[in-house]
């Protein structure tokens, strides 16, 4: 069942400072090189600016530690995770690596690749400064393996306000309304919906399912309370096919940024993407509500389909103490307030400085902290499905966009 924001929030606390040296969990020593290698997928426009701001704050607080940026670009982390898997399998871990909060980490935990870092949570009092529901998403059998640095929202529909205004349109509040608009847009020679590679199609799928099934029905797909073969689910999947038909999937963009560029250029009306799009659009010199705007994806108003970027302490990290200092930075107020305004996300902490969040982010942080907001977890970005099930959905979706067989897809995706 989706949770209300009221059930997720707990009282915040005071800000914390960074110590010059932290205590290791198992007493082991690192190589003392004064360097930390951090593996992430933050290499594209909008993402790298956030990382650079976080690293600048880290360097200021840890002047004796050199930051080694091991970012790998592309595919919202899909390419990076392939590279990382090889390194972990070969016992060559970085000092810390990025992962989405939630079940995405389950296979690494099972393989013994990451350490339980509850001792850092105790040391830094993070349980008192993070939403209860987020801590629960990070907890596996009572243990915690990563530190969240932000909160993103996945269920968003980006558009060019001038284009819509010129045609007397407003963002659709249902997918049926989107289909009606699509006919009008096509007649005017405008692409209704731009799309990118396979993971963006999966992202669109989760937004259609959320909009059609509602928060409870969508969440039930992942906890077993919603039947994939039921009429409502089948109808939602059939609708997804119709939505996809209004896109440029035959010539899909290589990544999410060029797909979004079509909206900015006015050749496409809409693009479904998470709120990291805001940071990217700002790097192009655009102003929110003028050069671009956003609404909840159709049918999902007042629902926050969340994901969170977090960082781990791998077992066998070559520079353990430096890795701990990096994790403390990621969990700090100063680190999160440096990172998130640049990245286009809101802080995971409850005690961050809200005054630093303007434009779209002011709306986002207000909705995230609104007790009336329903919260669900993202499929595409690792919250509600582990790596094995997520891979099964990926394989099934690749076939589904070709054969359009809703029942066959349901059988494969149902887990």
């Amino acid at each position: 069942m989706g949770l209300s924001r009221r059930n997720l929030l707990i009282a915040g606390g005071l800000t914390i400072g960074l110590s010059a040296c932290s205590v290791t969990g198992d007493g082991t020593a690192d190589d003392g090189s004064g360097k930390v290698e951090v593996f992430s997928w933050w290499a594209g426009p909008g993402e790298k600016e956030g990382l650079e701001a976080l690293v600048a704050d880290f360097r200021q607080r840890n002047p004796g530690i050199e930051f080694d940026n091991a970012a790998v670009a592309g595919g919202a982390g899909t390419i990076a995770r392939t590279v990382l898997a090889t390194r972990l399998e070969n016992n060559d871990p970085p000092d810390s690596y990025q992962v989405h909060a939630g079940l995405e980490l389950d296979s690494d935990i099972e393989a013994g690749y990451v350490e339980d870092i509850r001792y850092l949570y105790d040391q830094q009092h993070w349980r008192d400064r993070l939403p209860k529901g987020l801590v629960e998403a990070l907890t596996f059998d009572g243990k915690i393996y990563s530190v969240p640095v932000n909160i993103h929202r996945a269920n968003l529909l980006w558009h060019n306000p001038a284009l819509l205004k010129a045609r007397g349109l407003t963002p659709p509040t249902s997918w049926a309304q989107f289909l009606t608009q699509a006919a009008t847009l096509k007649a005017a020679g405008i692409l209704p919906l731009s799309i990118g590679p396979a993971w963006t199609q999966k992202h669109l799928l989760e937004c259609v399912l959320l909009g059609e099934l509602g928060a409870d029905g969508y969440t039930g797909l992942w906890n077993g309370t919603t039947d994939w073969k039921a009429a409502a689910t089948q109808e939602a999947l059939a609708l997804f096919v119709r939505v996809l038909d209004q896109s440029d999937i035959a010539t899909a963009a290589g990544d999410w940024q060029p797909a979004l560029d079509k909206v900015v250029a006015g050749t496409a009306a809409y693009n479904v993407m998470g709120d990291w799009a805001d940071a990217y659009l700002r790097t192009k010199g655009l102003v929110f509500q003028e050069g671009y705007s956003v609404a909840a994806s159709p049918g999902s108003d007042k629902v926050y389909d969340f994901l969170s970027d977090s960082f781990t302490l791998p077992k066998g990290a070559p520079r353990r103490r430096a890795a701990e200092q990096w994790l403390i930075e990621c969990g700090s107020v100063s680190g999160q307030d440096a990172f998130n305004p640049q990245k286009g996300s809101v802080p995971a902490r409850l005690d961050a400085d809200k005054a630093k969040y303007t434009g779209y982010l002011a709306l986002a942080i207000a909705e995230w902290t609104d007790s009336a907001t329903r919260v669900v977890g993202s499929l595409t970005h690792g919250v509600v499905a582990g790596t094995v099930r997520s891979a099964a959905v990926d394989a099934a979706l690749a076939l589904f966009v070709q054969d359009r067989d809703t029942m066959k897809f349901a059988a494969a995706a149902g887990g």
Side-chain angles (χ1 to χ4, degrees), residues 95-110:
D95 297 307
S96 183
Y97 65 84
Q98 180 183 2
V99 68
H100 287 130
L103 291 176
E104 182 177 291
L105 194 55
D106 66 345
S107 60
D108 285 3
I109 295 170
E110 185 176 348

Side-chain angles (χ1 to χ4, degrees), residues 238-251:
L239 182 63
F240 167 72
V241 170
R242 295 175 64 196
V243 170
L244 207 58
D245 284 340
Q246 309 309 312
S247 77
D248 54 347
I249 190 170
T251 57

Side-chain angles (χ1 to χ4, degrees), residues 15-375:
T15 60
I16 62 172
L18 294 178
S19 60
C21 180
S22 61
V23 178
T24 63
D26 61 4
T28 58
D30 56 53
D31 65 7
S33 68
K35 182 172 80 170
V36 62
E37 182 193 15
V38 175
F39 191 96
S40 78
W41 53 80
W42 289 332
E47 301 170 334
K48 64 183 181 66
E49 287 82 5
L51 177 59
E52 288 167 357
L54 180 60
V55 171
D57 191 71
F58 173 74
R59 285 173 173 155
Q60 181 179 0
R61 293 175 173 273
N62 298 272
I65 302 177
E66 175 189 351
F67 185 86
D68 182 1
N69 183 3
V72 175
T78 55
I79 297 173
R81 283 192 289 272
T82 300
V83 175
L84 177 65
T86 299
R87 290 190 59 175
L88 295 176
E89 290 167 3
N90 292 332
N91 196 28
D92 178 32
D95 297 307
S96 183
Y97 65 84
Q98 180 183 2
V99 68
H100 287 130
L103 291 176
E104 182 177 291
L105 194 55
D106 66 345
S107 60
D108 285 3
I109 295 170
E110 185 176 348
Y113 291 148
V114 288
E115 290 196 25
D116 176 11
I117 53 174
R118 283 176 295 170
Y119 69 94
L120 281 180
Y121 274 73
D122 294 338
Q123 181 190 100
Q124 303 298 324
H125 308 289
W126 283 331
R127 291 182 184 86
D128 297 331
R129 276 94 173 177
L130 296 171
K132 181 180 178 182
L134 179 56
V135 174
E136 290 173 352
L138 295 163
T139 302
F140 297 80
D141 295 327
K143 299 178 181 180
I144 303 176
Y145 297 91
S146 65
V147 178
V149 69
N150 68 348
I151 296 293
H152 272 299
R153 187 180 186 183
N155 58 313
L156 292 171
L157 185 70
W158 300 88
H159 60 274
N160 183 322
L163 184 150
L164 295 191
K165 183 178 180 180
R167 286 155 183 80
L169 300 175
T170 57
T173 58
S174 70
W175 285 108
Q177 187 181 37
F178 164 78
L179 293 174
T180 299
Q181 286 192 13
T184 300
L185 291 163
K186 278 186 172 181
I190 299 168
L191 175 69
L193 182 71
S194 63
I195 199 75
W199 76 266
T200 71
Q201 298 160 30
K202 185 180 182 182
H203 189 123
L204 175 64
L205 171 66
E206 77 175 75
C207 289
V208 173
L209 291 173
L210 175 61
E212 291 301 294
L213 300 178
D216 292 343
Y218 166 81
T219 301
L221 293 172
W222 317 113
N223 65 22
T225 59
T226 298
D227 185 355
W228 279 85
K229 296 181 181 180
T233 310
Q234 289 292 299
E235 289 169 6
L237 291 172
L239 182 63
F240 167 72
V241 170
R242 295 175 64 196
V243 170
L244 207 58
D245 284 340
Q246 309 309 312
S247 77
D248 54 347
I249 190 170
T251 57
D255 212 340
W256 64 272
Q257 293 99 332
L260 193 59
D261 286 343
K262 295 178 181 180
V263 174
V264 174
T267 58
Y270 297 110
N271 180 265
V272 173
M273 189 46 55
D275 56 12
W276 47 91
D278 175 67
Y280 171 66
L281 293 169
R282 284 188 281 116
T283 66
K284 299 174 77 67
L286 299 173
V287 176
F288 180 59
Q289 302 288 34
E290 296 178 11
Y292 68 100
S293 193
V294 71
S297 59
S300 69
D301 189 36
K302 296 299 182 182
V303 179
Y304 217 103
D305 183 12
F306 97 96
L307 58 140
S308 175
D309 295 299
S310 62
F311 283 88
T312 64
L313 178 61
K315 286 188 177 178
R319 294 162 287 264
R320 182 190 177 94
R321 286 194 174 90
E324 289 178 324
Q325 290 303 119
W326 169 251
L327 294 178
I328 291 171
E329 171 70 20
C330 290
S332 70
V333 167
S334 64
Q336 294 197 9
D337 278 344
F339 172 79
N340 285 294
Q342 296 295 324
K343 176 64 165 62
S345 48
V346 298
R349 292 184 66 118
L350 299 174
D351 53 355
D353 184 357
K354 291 184 179 180
K356 294 182 180 295
Y357 300 87
T358 60
Y360 161 76
L361 293 178
L363 300 179
I365 201 167
E367 188 141 6
W368 174 245
T369 56
D370 185 346
S371 63
T373 298
R374 297 291 303 278
V375 176

Side-chain angles (χ1 to χ4, degrees), residues 228 233-234 237-238 241 400 403-411:
W228 279 85
T233 310
Q234 289 292 299
L237 291 172
V241 170
F400 184 40
D403 65 24
R404 313 301 177 92
D405 188 329
T406 62
M407 194 60 73
K408 186 167 75 174
F409 176 78

